[in-house]
Amino acid sequence: MRFVSFATPELPTPHLGLVRGGEVLDVDLAGQVLNVRVPDQMQELIENYERYLPGLQALLTRAGERRLSEVKAFSDTGIAHKLEAVELAAPLPRPRKNVLCVGLNYSEHVRETAEVRGRSAEPPSEPVFFTKAPTSVNGPYGTIGIDPAVSSEIDWEAELAAIIGKTCKNVSEEEALQCVFGYTVLNDVTARDLQARHKQFFKGKSLDGSCPMGPWIVTADELPDPQHLDIALRVNGVVKQQANTSQMVFSIARLISVLSQGMTLEPGDILATGTPSGVGFSRTPPEFLKAGDVMETEVEGIGILRNPVVQR
Ligand code: MG
């Protein structure tokens, strides 16, 4: 299934939607109409997915094979919307924790950054973890604001993100993917000057709006092999990054297993799994985003983020 957090003029607070075809079913309203107990927020869904799953399946069954908006009772009550008629927020609009990230997880990206940063071109022997502040989270089509007084080196990083679905600690690599609720697309937008100036990544990775995510979470059952997905990023239609998740240095299972040693991962935790080569700062000459640019971040089997860059 594909779950979104969406808003409408009538219900402006982001709430849970189920996407099918080009439409969004308002899960909470559908549950009220059909007398099925279902959640209205993504976090609640993720925490109790197994409990809610039969109800969600019942909603879909009741909607039948017809397009949701054509089901009279649904359209009359406004519980299904055309996808283009709603505003999509990040699937988890305000995560409860920092977004968990890994750096240097594609060897070509390790090589391209090594020269610029004067580091070893060898892939790291253990994952390099850092985080982004929850306030950095942005919608799938949200604007990326550039404030020249803060940073003049805003860069892109296309990434696949895994959403943790079960509390897990000390999980083995073999069991790790069972802890995943689903996957989404994430752009780890980075202020390179701040990243370099402050040594640790946190500040340069955490500017407001620098973590667009979405457009939805695809549940893990629909992406049984997350390690064979094409991933790409385009700026103004020009391909800047093009790779496959099979090229990760550390698999998603390995990352989750390593992170979970002695550290509890919880439902709703977001793990960004690293970016492939083709970022702006390692290009010759370096390229950074400017007002008027539009970034598209795509992961096969999930979808596309589209983020315009604006001056703040
Ligand atoms: Mg990154």
Side-chain angles (χ1 to χ4, degrees):
M1 288 195 239
R2 293 175 175 234
F3 292 102
V4 289
S5 292
F6 77 103
T8 61
E10 297 75 36
L11 276 174
T13 302
H15 51 289
L16 184 65
L18 181 49
V19 175
R20 197 173 68 169
E23 295 177 313
V24 183
L25 179 69
D26 185 317
V27 170
D28 181 52
L29 278 180
Q32 290 178 36
V33 170
L34 299 172
N35 201 21
V36 177
R37 205 172 123 71
V38 280
D40 79 333
Q41 291 295 316
M42 187 74 78
Q43 181 69 36
E44 166 76 3
L45 172 78
I46 295 172
E47 287 178 9
N48 300 287
Y49 187 55
E50 284 176 15
R51 175 151 63 87
Y52 285 126
L53 189 55
L56 291 162
Q57 284 165 337
L59 288 190
L60 283 177
T61 306
R62 298 281 290 276
E65 293 306 308
R66 305 168 64 186
R67 292 175 63 81
L68 296 175
S69 65
E70 291 170 2
V71 179
K72 273 210 163 31
F74 281 17
S75 55
D76 288 351
T77 53
I79 63 177
H81 306 270
K82 297 283 185 198
L83 201 44
E84 60 268 21
V86 305
E87 184 178 344
L88 296 187
L92 286 153
R94 181 61 191 252
R96 296 207 288 205
K97 294 182 191 168
N98 286 20
V99 177
L100 307 166
C101 302
V102 61
L104 305 175
N105 201 31
Y106 287 79
S107 47
E108 283 300 317
H109 177 61
V110 177
R111 269 192 281 279
E112 72 175 356
T113 59
E115 200 168 307
V116 185
R117 294 290 194 227
R119 276 194 305 246
S120 164
E122 286 298 309
S125 55
E126 293 290 338
V128 177
F129 293 118
F130 63 93
T131 69
K132 289 171 87 77
T135 39
S136 68
V137 168
N138 198 345
Y141 314 125
T143 56
I144 308 292
I146 290 187
D147 180 350
V150 175
S151 169
S152 56
E153 297 188 355
I154 303 293
D155 200 353
W156 54 82
E157 293 194 359
E159 308 203 9
L160 168 67
I163 313 298
I164 299 296
K166 294 190 179 117
T167 300
C168 60
K169 185 176 180 182
N170 301 332
V171 70
S172 70
E173 198 171 325
E174 291 68 33
E175 295 168 331
L177 290 189
Q178 293 168 27
C179 302
V180 175
F181 171 75
Y183 299 92
T184 194
V185 185
L186 187 150
N187 187 343
D188 176 17
V189 175
T190 303
R192 296 296 178 198
D193 40 5
L194 300 184
Q195 186 184 16
R197 185 184 310 158
H198 300 288
K199 308 304 178 212
Q200 297 218 354
F201 291 4
F202 178 61
K203 168 75 178 175
K205 294 285 190 177
S206 292
L207 297 185
D208 290 355
S210 68
C211 190
M213 290 173 52
W216 31 72
I217 296 174
V218 177
T219 49
D221 58 303
E222 291 194 8
L223 281 177
D225 185 4
Q227 298 294 163
H228 284 92
L229 302 175
D230 287 337
I231 179 166
L233 186 136
R234 298 175 286 277
V235 179
N236 305 329
V238 178
V239 176
K240 299 295 184 183
Q241 296 184 285
Q242 179 97 61
N244 189 280
T245 57
S246 61
Q247 296 163 330
M248 286 183 193
V249 176
F250 302 106
S251 69
I252 299 161
R254 176 84 184 277
L255 294 172
I256 291 171
S257 174
V258 173
L259 259 184
S260 79
Q261 301 306 308
M263 176 181 143
T264 303
L265 298 178
E266 298 178 298
D269 286 355
I270 301 162
L271 172 62
T273 58
T275 202
S277 62
V279 296
F281 87 101
S282 61
R283 290 172 170 269
T284 312
E287 295 175 22
F288 298 108
L289 293 164
K290 56 188 187 310
D293 288 344
V294 177
M295 278 188 292
E296 288 184 319
T297 313
E298 181 167 16
V299 177
E300 179 186 6
I302 305 178
I304 302 176
L305 312 180
R306 195 169 290 107
N307 300 103
V309 180
V310 299
Q311 180 102 9
R312 284 275 148 75

